[in-house]
Short mmCIF file of all heavy atoms in Angstrom, two decimals:
data_model
loop_
_atom_site.label_atom_id
_atom_site.label_comp_id
_atom_site.label_asym_id
_atom_site.label_seq_id
_atom_site.Cartn_x
_atom_site.Cartn_y
_atom_site.Cartn_z
N ASN A 1 -4.71 -10.75 2.77
CA ASN A 1 -5.00 -10.02 1.53
C ASN A 1 -4.43 -10.75 0.33
O ASN A 1 -5.08 -10.94 -0.69
CB ASN A 1 -4.45 -8.60 1.58
CG ASN A 1 -5.23 -7.69 2.49
OD1 ASN A 1 -6.27 -8.04 3.00
ND2 ASN A 1 -4.70 -6.50 2.71
N VAL A 2 -3.15 -11.15 0.42
CA VAL A 2 -2.48 -11.82 -0.68
C VAL A 2 -3.15 -13.16 -0.98
O VAL A 2 -3.36 -13.51 -2.15
CB VAL A 2 -0.97 -11.97 -0.38
CG1 VAL A 2 -0.31 -12.87 -1.41
CG2 VAL A 2 -0.30 -10.61 -0.33
N LYS A 3 -3.50 -13.89 0.06
CA LYS A 3 -4.17 -15.19 -0.13
C LYS A 3 -5.52 -14.99 -0.82
O LYS A 3 -5.86 -15.72 -1.76
CB LYS A 3 -4.37 -15.87 1.23
CG LYS A 3 -4.99 -17.24 1.14
CD LYS A 3 -5.13 -17.85 2.52
CE LYS A 3 -5.83 -19.20 2.42
NZ LYS A 3 -6.07 -19.79 3.75
N ARG A 4 -6.28 -14.02 -0.39
CA ARG A 4 -7.58 -13.73 -1.01
C ARG A 4 -7.40 -13.31 -2.47
O ARG A 4 -8.15 -13.76 -3.34
CB ARG A 4 -8.30 -12.63 -0.23
CG ARG A 4 -9.71 -12.36 -0.74
CD ARG A 4 -10.41 -11.23 -0.03
NE ARG A 4 -9.66 -10.00 -0.18
CZ ARG A 4 -9.12 -9.31 0.81
NH1 ARG A 4 -9.23 -9.73 2.06
NH2 ARG A 4 -8.44 -8.20 0.57
N ASP A 5 -6.38 -12.50 -2.75
CA ASP A 5 -6.11 -12.09 -4.14
C ASP A 5 -5.86 -13.30 -5.03
O ASP A 5 -6.37 -13.38 -6.15
CB ASP A 5 -4.91 -11.15 -4.19
CG ASP A 5 -5.19 -9.79 -3.57
OD1 ASP A 5 -6.36 -9.43 -3.39
OD2 ASP A 5 -4.20 -9.10 -3.26
N LYS A 6 -5.08 -14.27 -4.53
CA LYS A 6 -4.79 -15.47 -5.32
C LYS A 6 -6.03 -16.31 -5.57
O LYS A 6 -6.24 -16.82 -6.67
CB LYS A 6 -3.72 -16.32 -4.61
CG LYS A 6 -2.34 -15.72 -4.67
CD LYS A 6 -1.33 -16.58 -3.92
CE LYS A 6 0.04 -15.92 -3.94
NZ LYS A 6 1.03 -16.66 -3.15
N GLN A 7 -6.89 -16.42 -4.54
CA GLN A 7 -8.14 -17.17 -4.70
C GLN A 7 -9.05 -16.52 -5.73
O GLN A 7 -9.63 -17.20 -6.58
CB GLN A 7 -8.87 -17.29 -3.36
CG GLN A 7 -8.18 -18.20 -2.38
CD GLN A 7 -8.81 -18.15 -0.99
OE1 GLN A 7 -9.51 -17.20 -0.64
NE2 GLN A 7 -8.54 -19.17 -0.18
N VAL A 8 -9.19 -15.22 -5.66
CA VAL A 8 -10.04 -14.47 -6.59
C VAL A 8 -9.50 -14.60 -8.02
O VAL A 8 -10.26 -14.86 -8.96
CB VAL A 8 -10.16 -12.99 -6.17
CG1 VAL A 8 -10.75 -12.15 -7.28
CG2 VAL A 8 -10.99 -12.87 -4.90
N LEU A 9 -8.20 -14.47 -8.18
CA LEU A 9 -7.56 -14.61 -9.48
C LEU A 9 -7.86 -15.98 -10.08
O LEU A 9 -8.26 -16.11 -11.22
CB LEU A 9 -6.05 -14.39 -9.35
CG LEU A 9 -5.26 -14.54 -10.62
CD1 LEU A 9 -5.30 -13.26 -11.41
CD2 LEU A 9 -3.82 -14.89 -10.30
N LYS A 10 -7.70 -17.02 -9.27
CA LYS A 10 -7.94 -18.39 -9.75
C LYS A 10 -9.41 -18.58 -10.13
O LYS A 10 -9.72 -19.15 -11.18
CB LYS A 10 -7.53 -19.41 -8.71
CG LYS A 10 -7.72 -20.85 -9.18
CD LYS A 10 -7.12 -21.82 -8.24
CE LYS A 10 -7.31 -23.28 -8.61
NZ LYS A 10 -7.96 -23.61 -9.83
N GLN A 11 -10.34 -18.09 -9.31
CA GLN A 11 -11.77 -18.20 -9.60
C GLN A 11 -12.10 -17.55 -10.93
O GLN A 11 -12.82 -18.13 -11.74
CB GLN A 11 -12.61 -17.56 -8.50
CG GLN A 11 -12.79 -18.39 -7.27
CD GLN A 11 -13.66 -17.62 -6.28
OE1 GLN A 11 -13.29 -16.54 -5.80
NE2 GLN A 11 -14.82 -18.17 -5.97
N LEU A 12 -11.61 -16.34 -11.13
CA LEU A 12 -11.93 -15.61 -12.35
C LEU A 12 -11.33 -16.30 -13.57
O LEU A 12 -11.99 -16.44 -14.60
CB LEU A 12 -11.42 -14.16 -12.26
CG LEU A 12 -12.24 -13.26 -11.34
CD1 LEU A 12 -11.47 -11.99 -11.01
CD2 LEU A 12 -13.59 -12.94 -11.96
N GLU A 13 -10.08 -16.75 -13.46
CA GLU A 13 -9.45 -17.45 -14.59
C GLU A 13 -10.17 -18.77 -14.89
O GLU A 13 -10.37 -19.12 -16.06
CB GLU A 13 -7.98 -17.69 -14.31
CG GLU A 13 -7.16 -16.42 -14.42
CD GLU A 13 -5.69 -16.60 -14.07
OE1 GLU A 13 -5.33 -17.65 -13.44
OE2 GLU A 13 -4.90 -15.71 -14.42
N ASP A 14 -10.62 -19.48 -13.86
CA ASP A 14 -11.36 -20.72 -14.05
C ASP A 14 -12.70 -20.45 -14.76
O ASP A 14 -13.21 -21.31 -15.47
CB ASP A 14 -11.60 -21.44 -12.73
CG ASP A 14 -10.33 -22.06 -12.15
OD1 ASP A 14 -9.31 -22.14 -12.88
OD2 ASP A 14 -10.36 -22.45 -10.97
N ASP A 15 -13.25 -19.26 -14.52
CA ASP A 15 -14.51 -18.88 -15.16
C ASP A 15 -14.29 -18.30 -16.56
O ASP A 15 -15.24 -17.83 -17.19
CB ASP A 15 -15.26 -17.86 -14.30
CG ASP A 15 -15.80 -18.49 -13.01
OD1 ASP A 15 -15.88 -19.73 -12.94
OD2 ASP A 15 -16.14 -17.72 -12.09
N GLY A 16 -13.05 -18.27 -17.03
CA GLY A 16 -12.76 -17.82 -18.39
C GLY A 16 -12.45 -16.34 -18.54
O GLY A 16 -12.44 -15.83 -19.65
N TRP A 17 -12.17 -15.66 -17.45
CA TRP A 17 -11.83 -14.25 -17.52
C TRP A 17 -10.32 -14.06 -17.62
O TRP A 17 -9.55 -14.81 -17.04
CB TRP A 17 -12.33 -13.51 -16.27
CG TRP A 17 -13.82 -13.37 -16.23
CD1 TRP A 17 -14.70 -14.21 -15.65
CD2 TRP A 17 -14.59 -12.32 -16.82
NE1 TRP A 17 -15.97 -13.75 -15.83
CE2 TRP A 17 -15.94 -12.59 -16.55
CE3 TRP A 17 -14.27 -11.19 -17.55
CZ2 TRP A 17 -16.97 -11.76 -16.97
CZ3 TRP A 17 -15.29 -10.36 -17.98
CH2 TRP A 17 -16.63 -10.64 -17.69
N TYR A 18 -9.90 -13.05 -18.36
CA TYR A 18 -8.52 -12.62 -18.43
C TYR A 18 -8.35 -11.56 -17.34
O TYR A 18 -9.09 -10.57 -17.31
CB TYR A 18 -8.23 -12.05 -19.82
CG TYR A 18 -6.84 -11.49 -19.99
CD1 TYR A 18 -5.72 -12.28 -19.85
CD2 TYR A 18 -6.67 -10.15 -20.36
CE1 TYR A 18 -4.45 -11.76 -20.03
CE2 TYR A 18 -5.41 -9.63 -20.55
CZ TYR A 18 -4.29 -10.44 -20.38
OH TYR A 18 -3.04 -9.93 -20.56
N VAL A 19 -7.45 -11.79 -16.41
CA VAL A 19 -7.29 -10.91 -15.24
C VAL A 19 -6.03 -10.06 -15.39
O VAL A 19 -4.96 -10.58 -15.65
CB VAL A 19 -7.22 -11.74 -13.94
CG1 VAL A 19 -7.08 -10.81 -12.73
CG2 VAL A 19 -8.45 -12.62 -13.79
N VAL A 20 -6.19 -8.76 -15.21
CA VAL A 20 -5.07 -7.83 -15.25
C VAL A 20 -4.99 -7.13 -13.90
O VAL A 20 -5.99 -6.62 -13.38
CB VAL A 20 -5.27 -6.76 -16.36
CG1 VAL A 20 -4.15 -5.75 -16.34
CG2 VAL A 20 -5.41 -7.42 -17.71
N ILE A 21 -3.78 -7.13 -13.34
CA ILE A 21 -3.54 -6.41 -12.09
C ILE A 21 -2.61 -5.26 -12.40
O ILE A 21 -1.52 -5.45 -12.96
CB ILE A 21 -2.93 -7.32 -11.02
CG1 ILE A 21 -3.95 -8.40 -10.65
CG2 ILE A 21 -2.52 -6.53 -9.80
CD1 ILE A 21 -3.42 -9.46 -9.72
N VAL A 22 -3.05 -4.06 -12.07
CA VAL A 22 -2.24 -2.85 -12.25
C VAL A 22 -1.95 -2.31 -10.86
O VAL A 22 -2.86 -2.17 -10.04
CB VAL A 22 -2.98 -1.80 -13.11
CG1 VAL A 22 -2.14 -0.56 -13.30
CG2 VAL A 22 -3.42 -2.39 -14.44
N TRP A 23 -0.69 -2.01 -10.61
CA TRP A 23 -0.27 -1.51 -9.29
C TRP A 23 -0.36 0.01 -9.24
O TRP A 23 -0.11 0.68 -10.24
CB TRP A 23 1.14 -1.98 -8.99
CG TRP A 23 1.22 -3.46 -8.84
CD1 TRP A 23 1.58 -4.36 -9.79
CD2 TRP A 23 0.84 -4.23 -7.70
NE1 TRP A 23 1.48 -5.63 -9.31
CE2 TRP A 23 1.03 -5.58 -8.02
CE3 TRP A 23 0.37 -3.91 -6.43
CZ2 TRP A 23 0.76 -6.61 -7.11
CZ3 TRP A 23 0.11 -4.93 -5.53
CH2 TRP A 23 0.32 -6.26 -5.88
N GLU A 24 -0.66 0.54 -8.07
CA GLU A 24 -0.84 1.98 -7.92
C GLU A 24 0.42 2.76 -8.30
O GLU A 24 0.34 3.86 -8.83
CB GLU A 24 -1.29 2.35 -6.51
CG GLU A 24 -0.20 2.40 -5.49
CD GLU A 24 -0.67 2.85 -4.12
OE1 GLU A 24 -1.26 3.94 -3.99
OE2 GLU A 24 -0.43 2.11 -3.17
N CYS A 25 1.62 2.18 -8.09
CA CYS A 25 2.85 2.89 -8.42
C CYS A 25 3.03 2.99 -9.94
O CYS A 25 3.83 3.82 -10.40
CB CYS A 25 4.06 2.22 -7.79
SG CYS A 25 4.39 0.54 -8.37
N GLU A 26 2.30 2.20 -10.71
CA GLU A 26 2.34 2.30 -12.17
C GLU A 26 1.42 3.40 -12.70
O GLU A 26 1.40 3.66 -13.89
CB GLU A 26 1.94 0.96 -12.81
CG GLU A 26 2.85 -0.18 -12.45
CD GLU A 26 2.32 -1.53 -12.90
OE1 GLU A 26 1.10 -1.72 -13.00
OE2 GLU A 26 3.18 -2.43 -13.14
N LEU A 27 0.71 4.04 -11.78
CA LEU A 27 -0.29 5.04 -12.18
C LEU A 27 -0.13 6.35 -11.44
O LEU A 27 -1.01 7.20 -11.49
CB LEU A 27 -1.71 4.50 -11.90
CG LEU A 27 -2.05 3.15 -12.55
CD1 LEU A 27 -3.35 2.63 -11.97
CD2 LEU A 27 -2.13 3.28 -14.04
N ASP A 28 0.99 6.55 -10.75
CA ASP A 28 1.10 7.71 -9.86
C ASP A 28 1.36 9.04 -10.56
O ASP A 28 1.29 10.08 -9.93
CB ASP A 28 2.11 7.46 -8.73
CG ASP A 28 3.51 7.18 -9.23
OD1 ASP A 28 3.73 7.16 -10.45
OD2 ASP A 28 4.39 6.95 -8.38
N THR A 29 1.62 9.02 -11.86
CA THR A 29 1.68 10.27 -12.62
C THR A 29 0.81 10.12 -13.86
O THR A 29 0.46 9.00 -14.27
CB THR A 29 3.13 10.58 -13.08
OG1 THR A 29 3.55 9.58 -14.01
CG2 THR A 29 4.10 10.65 -11.91
N HIS A 30 0.47 11.23 -14.46
CA HIS A 30 -0.36 11.21 -15.67
C HIS A 30 0.34 10.44 -16.78
O HIS A 30 -0.29 9.64 -17.49
CB HIS A 30 -0.69 12.64 -16.11
CG HIS A 30 -1.49 12.72 -17.36
ND1 HIS A 30 -2.83 12.35 -17.40
CD2 HIS A 30 -1.14 13.05 -18.63
CE1 HIS A 30 -3.26 12.50 -18.63
NE2 HIS A 30 -2.27 12.93 -19.40
N ALA A 31 1.64 10.67 -16.93
CA ALA A 31 2.40 9.99 -17.99
C ALA A 31 2.41 8.47 -17.77
O ALA A 31 2.24 7.70 -18.74
CB ALA A 31 3.83 10.53 -18.02
N LYS A 32 2.61 8.04 -16.53
CA LYS A 32 2.61 6.60 -16.25
C LYS A 32 1.23 5.98 -16.51
O LYS A 32 1.13 4.88 -17.04
CB LYS A 32 3.02 6.33 -14.81
CG LYS A 32 4.49 6.45 -14.53
CD LYS A 32 4.75 6.08 -13.07
CE LYS A 32 6.19 6.09 -12.69
NZ LYS A 32 6.38 5.72 -11.27
N ALA A 33 0.17 6.67 -16.10
CA ALA A 33 -1.18 6.17 -16.33
C ALA A 33 -1.47 6.04 -17.81
O ALA A 33 -2.04 5.03 -18.26
CB ALA A 33 -2.20 7.07 -15.64
N THR A 34 -1.08 7.04 -18.58
CA THR A 34 -1.29 7.01 -20.03
C THR A 34 -0.50 5.87 -20.67
O THR A 34 -1.03 5.14 -21.50
CB THR A 34 -0.90 8.37 -20.66
OG1 THR A 34 -1.68 9.39 -20.03
CG2 THR A 34 -1.15 8.38 -22.14
N SER A 35 0.74 5.72 -20.28
CA SER A 35 1.58 4.66 -20.81
C SER A 35 1.04 3.28 -20.47
O SER A 35 0.97 2.39 -21.31
CB SER A 35 3.01 4.82 -20.28
OG SER A 35 3.79 3.76 -20.68
N THR A 36 0.63 3.11 -19.22
CA THR A 36 0.06 1.82 -18.79
C THR A 36 -1.21 1.52 -19.56
O THR A 36 -1.40 0.38 -20.01
CB THR A 36 -0.23 1.85 -17.27
OG1 THR A 36 0.99 2.10 -16.57
CG2 THR A 36 -0.82 0.55 -16.79
N ALA A 37 -2.06 2.52 -19.76
CA ALA A 37 -3.28 2.31 -20.52
C ALA A 37 -2.98 1.97 -21.97
O ALA A 37 -3.66 1.12 -22.56
CB ALA A 37 -4.17 3.55 -20.43
N ASP A 38 -1.98 2.62 -22.57
CA ASP A 38 -1.61 2.31 -23.95
C ASP A 38 -1.18 0.86 -24.11
O ASP A 38 -1.63 0.16 -25.01
CB ASP A 38 -0.47 3.24 -24.42
CG ASP A 38 -0.91 4.66 -24.68
OD1 ASP A 38 -2.13 4.88 -24.84
OD2 ASP A 38 -0.04 5.55 -24.70
N VAL A 39 -0.33 0.39 -23.20
CA VAL A 39 0.17 -0.98 -23.28
C VAL A 39 -0.99 -1.96 -23.06
O VAL A 39 -1.17 -2.93 -23.79
CB VAL A 39 1.28 -1.23 -22.22
CG1 VAL A 39 1.62 -2.69 -22.11
CG2 VAL A 39 2.52 -0.41 -22.57
N LEU A 40 -1.81 -1.67 -22.06
CA LEU A 40 -2.95 -2.50 -21.76
C LEU A 40 -3.93 -2.54 -22.95
O LEU A 40 -4.41 -3.60 -23.35
CB LEU A 40 -3.66 -1.98 -20.51
CG LEU A 40 -4.85 -2.76 -19.99
CD1 LEU A 40 -4.49 -4.22 -19.72
CD2 LEU A 40 -5.39 -2.12 -18.72
N GLY A 41 -4.17 -1.39 -23.55
CA GLY A 41 -5.06 -1.31 -24.70
C GLY A 41 -4.56 -2.11 -25.89
O GLY A 41 -5.33 -2.83 -26.55
N ARG A 42 -3.28 -2.02 -26.18
CA ARG A 42 -2.70 -2.80 -27.29
C ARG A 42 -2.86 -4.30 -27.02
O ARG A 42 -3.23 -5.07 -27.92
CB ARG A 42 -1.21 -2.45 -27.47
CG ARG A 42 -0.99 -1.21 -28.31
CD ARG A 42 0.46 -1.12 -28.77
NE ARG A 42 1.43 -1.11 -27.68
CZ ARG A 42 1.81 -0.04 -27.01
NH1 ARG A 42 1.34 1.14 -27.33
NH2 ARG A 42 2.71 -0.13 -26.03
N ASN A 43 -2.56 -4.72 -25.78
CA ASN A 43 -2.70 -6.14 -25.45
C ASN A 43 -4.13 -6.62 -25.57
O ASN A 43 -4.38 -7.72 -26.08
CB ASN A 43 -2.17 -6.40 -24.02
CG ASN A 43 -0.68 -6.29 -23.93
OD1 ASN A 43 0.03 -6.39 -24.92
ND2 ASN A 43 -0.19 -6.09 -22.72
N LEU A 44 -5.07 -5.83 -25.12
CA LEU A 44 -6.47 -6.23 -25.21
C LEU A 44 -6.93 -6.34 -26.65
O LEU A 44 -7.64 -7.29 -27.03
CB LEU A 44 -7.37 -5.24 -24.44
CG LEU A 44 -7.22 -5.26 -22.93
CD1 LEU A 44 -8.03 -4.15 -22.31
CD2 LEU A 44 -7.64 -6.62 -22.38
N ARG A 45 -6.53 -5.38 -27.48
CA ARG A 45 -6.94 -5.42 -28.89
C ARG A 45 -6.30 -6.60 -29.62
O ARG A 45 -6.93 -7.23 -30.47
CB ARG A 45 -6.62 -4.10 -29.56
CG ARG A 45 -7.55 -3.00 -29.08
CD ARG A 45 -7.45 -1.72 -29.88
NE ARG A 45 -8.48 -0.79 -29.47
CZ ARG A 45 -8.24 0.36 -28.84
NH1 ARG A 45 -7.01 0.74 -28.58
NH2 ARG A 45 -9.24 1.15 -28.52
N MET A 46 -5.06 -6.92 -29.26
CA MET A 46 -4.39 -8.10 -29.86
C MET A 46 -5.11 -9.38 -29.45
O MET A 46 -5.33 -10.26 -30.27
CB MET A 46 -2.92 -8.16 -29.45
CG MET A 46 -2.03 -7.24 -30.24
SD MET A 46 -0.24 -7.39 -29.93
CE MET A 46 -0.05 -8.44 -28.57
N ARG A 47 -5.49 -9.47 -28.18
CA ARG A 47 -6.22 -10.67 -27.71
C ARG A 47 -7.55 -10.82 -28.45
O ARG A 47 -7.93 -11.92 -28.81
CB ARG A 47 -6.47 -10.59 -26.21
CG ARG A 47 -5.28 -10.88 -25.35
CD ARG A 47 -5.59 -10.77 -23.85
NE ARG A 47 -6.83 -11.38 -23.42
CZ ARG A 47 -7.00 -12.70 -23.23
NH1 ARG A 47 -6.00 -13.52 -23.41
NH2 ARG A 47 -8.15 -13.17 -22.82
N LEU A 48 -8.23 -9.70 -28.67
CA LEU A 48 -9.50 -9.76 -29.37
C LEU A 48 -9.31 -10.16 -30.81
O LEU A 48 -10.07 -10.97 -31.36
CB LEU A 48 -10.24 -8.42 -29.27
CG LEU A 48 -11.65 -8.36 -29.82
CD1 LEU A 48 -12.56 -9.30 -29.00
CD2 LEU A 48 -12.20 -6.97 -29.81
#
């Protein structure tokens, strides 16, 4: 699984995609999911 994840990540980055991995433990409560989305949203808007 880990090896396949690394290969997929490399393929996507080589194709010009920005890859974000979010872990399930970062989303296990409503507050954590909202916070994670807020941080992710700010980063995406800054990149754009």
Side-chain angles (χ1 to χ4, degrees):
N1 287 353
V2 170
K3 182 179 178 185
R4 185 183 60 242
D5 291 342
K6 287 179 183 176
Q7 290 172 340
V8 166
L9 178 82
K10 182 171 177 4
Q11 280 181 297
L12 287 165
E13 286 176 344
D14 288 348
D15 291 343
W17 289 93
Y18 176 61
V19 180
V20 176
I21 295 174
V22 180
W23 295 97
E24 81 176 304
C25 64
E26 298 171 332
L27 305 169
D28 60 0
T29 65
H30 178 73
K32 283 183 177 180
T34 302
S35 175
T36 300
D38 287 341
V39 170
L40 183 56
R42 277 195 304 273
N43 289 339
L44 290 174
R45 289 190 173 113
M46 280 186 351
R47 284 180 44 79
L48 187 64

